[in-house]
Amino acid sequence: MHATTPAPQRLTGNFVLLKADALHLLLPQEDLGAAEYLEGTPRASSQPGWFEIDGQGDRAPRLVAALSAAMEPLPALPAGRFLLTGLAAQDGVALCWNEVKVLIDVELETHELPPVLLPPDAPLRRFVEFDDGPAFCCSGQGLLAYAFAQRM
């Protein structure tokens, strides 16, 4: 007996493709704040996995983090992570990326990940294929909850 492969599903709307080395994520645009360049030198904060940067202008200092390919916070910010995106679900925090690409009014075909490949609490269930490989579909809240479950 052969297992059937679930049919692809379509996603439509505005999305952001986020790349951090081997980690490629696709999030709804409304889950993210504006992208900006990392300015200044982040310093360690009192929270493991988080770094603090001074706010620009009248902004308060912010917490930033960089994620590994396994979506875990890294102990240091890699040199190539120069772009920041805030998360709508958590004001005052941002994640560092190598590349941020906004996809406006697109229709994307998603594929289901085999459940055996994922831990039960993983926020990733589907992926989209791009020319340079798969990007895993996620929500901002799911990403934050998974990456910092025991750390916030």
Side-chain angles (χ1 to χ4, degrees):
M1 177 188 272
H2 295 284
T4 59
T5 303
Q9 292 181 357
R10 299 254 181 225
L11 281 179
T12 58
N14 300 331
F15 299 91
V16 180
L17 179 60
L18 303 166
K19 294 182 181 181
D21 302 323
L23 178 63
H24 296 190
L25 299 175
L26 184 73
L27 276 72
Q29 185 182 23
E30 65 265 11
D31 286 6
L32 299 169
E36 58 189 278
Y37 288 103
L38 175 62
E39 294 182 18
T41 303
R43 59 191 173 278
S45 77
S46 60
Q47 300 176 53
W50 288 103
F51 300 86
E52 202 171 86
I53 58 171
D54 292 326
Q56 278 82 44
D58 61 348
R59 293 178 66 170
R62 296 171 67 190
L63 292 174
V64 299
L67 300 179
S68 70
M71 294 176 50
E72 297 172 339
L74 292 170
L77 297 180
R81 306 277 181 97
F82 61 94
L83 295 169
L84 297 177
T85 58
L87 295 167
Q90 186 73 37
D91 193 34
V93 302
L95 296 175
C96 299
W97 309 99
N98 299 90
E99 185 179 335
V100 175
K101 183 177 182 180
V102 179
L103 307 171
I104 302 295
D105 195 27
V106 295
E107 183 174 326
L108 303 168
E109 185 175 278
T110 71
H111 306 278
E112 190 171 329
L113 287 162
V116 71
L117 296 178
L118 299 169
D121 60 341
L124 311 174
R125 297 286 174 236
R126 304 196 71 76
F127 68 96
V128 174
E129 290 185 47
F130 290 99
D131 290 339
D132 61 346
F136 300 96
C137 303
C138 190
S139 69
Q141 183 63 41
L143 173 62
L144 193 64
Y146 182 79
F148 296 97
Q150 303 301 320
R151 299 165 190 88
M152 292 193 72

